[in-house]
Amino acid sequence: MALVLTDFKHGDQTGNAPGIHCYTTPDNQATINTAGYFNNLSATLDVGDLIYIWAVNAGTQVAILTQVLSNAGGVVDVADGTVLAATDTD
């Protein structure tokens, strides 16, 4: 599937700190971390920005944290991402 712009929420981008953004998608991690997936946002994403993603992995909803590695010539590449563990021991 492709990036759905209405499912991407920009976070605060004031100052020199990286932006933190959120995105919800039915796509899996391998699809999301493919170079070019976020190209439609190249004008608003900076290298170092973090993206919190609510995605699907093997049919299960997962939270993934990734960062923008490069953004040049309209091509955005993000890191593979880290699936955030959700442990509840009570």
Side-chain angles (χ1 to χ4, degrees), residues 68-88:
V68 177
L69 295 177
S70 63
N71 182 357
V75 178
V76 177
D77 190 21
V78 298
D80 289 346
T82 300
V83 175
L84 304 177
T87 304
D88 183 10

Side-chain angles (χ1 to χ4, degrees), residues 34-46:
T34 301
Y37 184 87
F38 289 101
N39 283 356
N40 288 340
L41 294 165
S42 65
T44 57
L45 292 176
D46 295 316

Side-chain angles (χ1 to χ4, degrees), residues 4-72:
V4 178
L5 291 174
T6 56
D7 292 335
F8 190 94
K9 306 298 180 220
H10 286 283
D12 182 14
Q13 291 181 286
T14 58
N16 292 325
I20 300 175
H21 315 283
C22 298
Y23 182 57
T24 300
T25 181
D27 292 339
N28 63 34
Q29 188 173 7
T31 299
I32 296 163
N33 69 33
T34 301
Y37 184 87
F38 289 101
N39 283 356
N40 288 340
L41 294 165
S42 65
T44 57
L45 292 176
D46 295 316
V47 172
D49 281 2
L50 297 175
I51 306 172
Y52 170 82
I53 302 168
W54 187 242
V56 176
N57 187 23
T60 301
Q61 292 292 141
V62 294
I64 301 167
L65 187 61
T66 191
Q67 69 185 44
V68 177
L69 295 177
S70 63
N71 182 357

